[in-house]
Amino acid sequence: MLESQVLQQAQSLLYQQAMVSMQGEWVGAIAAIPRRQTSKAQKAEHEGALNYGEIFIRDNVPVMTYLLLQNKTPVVKNFLTTCLHLQSHSHQTRGIFPTSFVEHDGELVADYGQRAIGRVVSIDATLWWVILANAYVNHSQDHDWAAQPQVQSGIQKFLDLILRPGFRESPTLYVPDGAFMIDRPLDVWGAPLEIQVLLYGALRSAANLLRHSPSPRPHTPHACIRYARNLRRHLLKHYWVTSRTVQVLRRRPTEQYGDGIQNEFNIQTETIPHWLQDWMGDRGGYLIGNIRTGRPDFRFFTLGNCLGAIFDVMSRNQQYALFRLIMRNQQHLVAQMPLRICHPPLDDVEWRKKTGYDRKNLPWCYHNGGHWACLTWFLVIAMQRQQPLMPEDLKYQVRSFLKECYELMLRQLPQQQWAEYHDGPTAYWIGQQARTYQTWTIVGFLLTHHFLHEDPKESHILDL
Ligand code: GLC
């Protein structure tokens, strides 16, 4: 297939099959486009046994970003307003946004986790809504929308969830296992990176949005910024690692008490894995997956790191170190399909204990080391927005790296029916339980093409 035909196919799948209308207006896109049902299992799935026919907030982040770039701003506004109507009013969950929603007999039915597999809650949806709302207002300059009382009150309700007293002093948001894109147990409870970086983005976005109202109450932009600053300091201090910082970590004392100590989380040297040495080389750096008392998680999580760059949690030099690390480990993180969601996978006894024998998350599969093409555009914008100031050698390397990523997607995705994910270690196989015609795979490709070949300047679209 020619490149132009692939692009055309992707666009027509998005507009003609993925987008859902209600009362004549688009309200969002379903997660995967259903195929003709040939087997009983497929029929059951289409009839609602699984939820890929629902509109997920997180899956619509790339969709809405793409629509902004196509200047279809009213659709994005309608999506944001629809989600806002679904913000929870119930006593225990007031202020949260649903993971997904679906139309039933003209009514929208939302899932806040009460219908989800394993009853997991999704915390990222709420954070993403605020970030997307800010991107919409920045792009469209629709300040009137932001100033509306219901929008302002939605943001205040979100801030009620964050800026409230709690049992801990730490600025991180403490969450249960599987509270974001990785929505099954994978030992990602506590303070997983993706949530913390999204929280940073959401607080900075909320501060911008609150400025559109004359006197925001009770939470002020200033309070959001102060919190975000603390959080950034915390992430850079405890999550950022390079070969140099690891050597300091390895020689810290343990069992310390009180103020002014070096090892606040009482981490033993043995928790620092050996694969790190070769993985980081002497010029790489990244934000580790999680910090918890005694149990840091050194796994590399791709989305949390890309967002850490896009939201400038990392300094410019740290971003360069991240890009060098990713390219150094291209064989792991890209292989035959960009990008691996996290590295390395949990295996053996760790897989058994920490996933609860989850067969969907076998080592190298799905969230546990699988590859997701829908993540590529995040890395593309992270790299593209830094391109102009990059040292020449890095710029050259980044350019050819991104070209390779794009060509892998172009060559394989249409043939593989826009599969949801690929299984490792080389990502050559389509995911064992992957949906086909997955919307964020389709749109992720369109976005990758847009930022690489149409308008690299627009890679600032998610800037805070
Ligand atoms: C799976 C993924 C989740 C995604 C959903 C819809 O549950 O783990 O991240 O939002 O499918 O595509």
Side-chain angles (χ1 to χ4, degrees):
M1 242 186 177
L2 294 173
E3 186 185 40
S4 58
Q5 291 171 316
V6 176
L7 289 163
Q8 223 172 18
Q9 182 187 83
Q11 278 167 345
S12 100
L13 284 166
L14 169 67
Y15 291 125
Q16 282 156 36
Q17 299 192 50
M19 295 300 293
V20 177
S21 303
M22 253 184 95
Q23 287 143 11
E25 279 193 85
W26 276 334
V27 286
I30 49 177
I33 300 167
R35 294 288 95 196
R36 252 181 297 125
Q37 305 140 32
T38 45
S39 68
K40 245 190 185 161
Q42 280 171 317
K43 192 156 185 284
E45 179 187 317
H46 187 54
E47 282 167 358
L50 283 182
N51 52 359
Y52 285 87
E54 302 206 357
I55 299 168
F56 282 72
I57 291 189
R58 78 167 73 83
D59 295 51
N60 273 271
V61 170
V63 175
M64 296 302 145
T65 306
Y66 184 69
L67 295 177
L68 279 185
L69 296 168
Q70 302 303 306
N71 285 324
K72 299 198 187 312
T73 45
V75 186
V76 181
K77 175 158 87 173
N78 191 39
F79 173 74
L80 288 167
T81 309
T82 306
C83 296
L84 188 60
H85 288 144
L86 297 172
Q87 192 178 22
S88 169
H89 295 287
S90 95
H91 178 64
Q92 268 191 288
T93 54
R94 183 172 181 271
I96 70 163
F97 284 81
T99 315
S100 63
F101 56 90
V102 66
E103 194 228 71
H104 258 306
D105 304 328
E107 296 277 316
L108 289 179
V109 181
D111 177 20
Y112 303 90
Q114 85 285 5
R115 289 167 41 229
I117 297 176
R119 301 294 184 255
V120 285
V121 292
S122 81
I123 291 173
D124 62 332
T126 304
L127 305 171
W128 270 124
W129 184 87
V130 187
I131 294 167
L132 201 57
N134 184 47
Y136 164 73
V137 173
N138 286 343
H139 192 85
S140 66
Q141 294 296 307
D142 185 357
H143 299 158
D144 293 345
W145 180 81
Q148 284 177 59
Q150 60 274 34
V151 173
Q152 290 289 318
S153 127
I155 299 162
Q156 292 286 343
K157 274 186 227 149
F158 154 66
L159 291 170
D160 285 344
L161 291 164
I162 311 293
L163 307 176
R164 61 176 164 80
F167 278 97
R168 304 154 63 244
E169 187 78 75
S170 156
T172 50
L173 181 59
Y174 202 82
V175 302
D177 216 351
F180 49 105
M181 177 185 179
I182 296 179
D183 56 1
R184 304 170 73 93
L186 200 72
D187 197 29
V188 286
W189 55 270
L193 177 67
E194 187 171 320
I195 290 289
Q196 312 315 320
V197 170
L198 284 171
L199 174 62
Y200 179 81
L203 286 165
R204 293 277 313 269
S205 299
N208 291 343
L209 293 165
L210 290 180
R211 290 199 184 96
H212 296 288
S213 159
S215 52
R217 287 283 178 275
H219 306 298
T220 61
H222 182 66
C224 301
I225 296 286
R226 203 174 43 216
Y227 196 113
R229 234 182 249 146
N230 271 342
L231 179 58
R232 175 167 187 253
R233 213 175 296 127
H234 182 96
L235 292 173
L236 292 183
K237 180 167 179 205
H238 297 291
Y239 288 65
W240 177 255
V241 293
T242 62
S243 156
R244 205 174 45 77
T245 66
V246 168
Q247 295 185 57
V248 175
L249 297 186
R250 280 170 45 86
R251 296 167 62 84
R252 284 184 310 186
T254 52
E255 307 304 329
Q256 296 181 296
Y257 176 82
D259 307 317
I261 60 173
Q262 295 166 45
N263 191 351
E264 291 94 323
F265 295 97
N266 201 29
I267 289 165
Q268 307 287 336
T269 301
E270 289 71 15
T271 60
I272 303 172
H274 290 135
W275 58 263
L276 214 59
Q277 203 168 63
D278 182 48
W279 168 260
M280 281 201 300
D282 58 355
R283 298 185 79 185
Y286 72 104
L287 295 165
I288 66 169
N290 210 332
I291 283 285
R292 302 167 290 211
T293 303
R295 281 188 287 173
D297 181 352
F298 282 90
R299 277 177 296 171
F300 177 86
F301 287 84
T302 301
L303 184 51
N305 272 284
C306 289
L307 292 174
I310 294 167
F311 296 155
D312 290 322
V313 172
M314 299 170 199
S315 69
R316 179 174 301 135
N317 282 330
Q318 288 173 328
Q319 296 183 35
Y320 295 165
L322 172 71
F323 303 153
R324 290 190 197 279
L325 173 116
I326 291 175
M327 292 186 294
R328 175 185 172 85
N329 295 294
Q330 177 169 354
Q331 174 206 355
H332 291 139
L333 294 177
V334 177
Q336 299 300 314
M337 179 58 72
L339 287 167
R340 181 171 296 168
I341 187 169
C342 78
H343 177 88
L346 298 176
D347 65 2
D348 200 28
V349 72
E350 288 209 78
W351 168 74
R352 292 202 293 275
K353 291 213 164 135
K354 293 179 172 168
T355 72
Y357 296 75
D358 185 354
R359 300 200 52 78
K360 199 160 177 180
N361 271 333
L362 284 165
W364 308 112
C365 297
Y366 201 49
H367 303 139
N368 192 14
H371 290 228
W372 294 64
C374 64
L375 295 175
T376 311
W377 72 279
F378 288 106
L379 182 60
V380 172
I381 59 176
M383 286 177 157
Q384 292 286 69
R385 60 197 282 289
Q386 291 296 353
Q387 274 248 16
L389 294 176
M390 267 181 199
E392 281 308 310
D393 70 310
L394 185 60
K395 196 184 279 186
Y396 176 79
Q397 240 187 312
V398 159
R399 210 176 288 144
S400 75
F401 170 82
L402 290 177
K403 185 164 177 276
E404 264 181 72
C405 289
Y406 176 72
E407 278 165 9
L408 286 169
M409 290 165 74
L410 175 66
R411 213 172 331 118
Q412 300 177 87
L413 290 179
Q415 261 183 41
Q416 298 170 339
Q417 306 184 312
W418 308 95
E420 183 187 12
Y421 65 95
H422 289 69
D423 286 341
T426 70
Y428 191 67
W429 296 323
I430 297 173
Q432 198 211 339
Q433 297 193 43
R435 304 296 110 187
T436 53
Y437 298 92
Q438 183 83 17
T439 304
W440 62 8
T441 306
I442 297 166
V443 183
F445 173 77
L446 288 171
L447 286 166
T448 300
H449 178 269
H450 185 92
F451 297 119
L452 289 180
H453 301 301
E454 283 170 48
D455 202 345
K457 283 197 298 305
E458 287 189 306
S459 53
H460 289 282
I461 184 101
L462 294 184
D463 279 20
L464 303 173

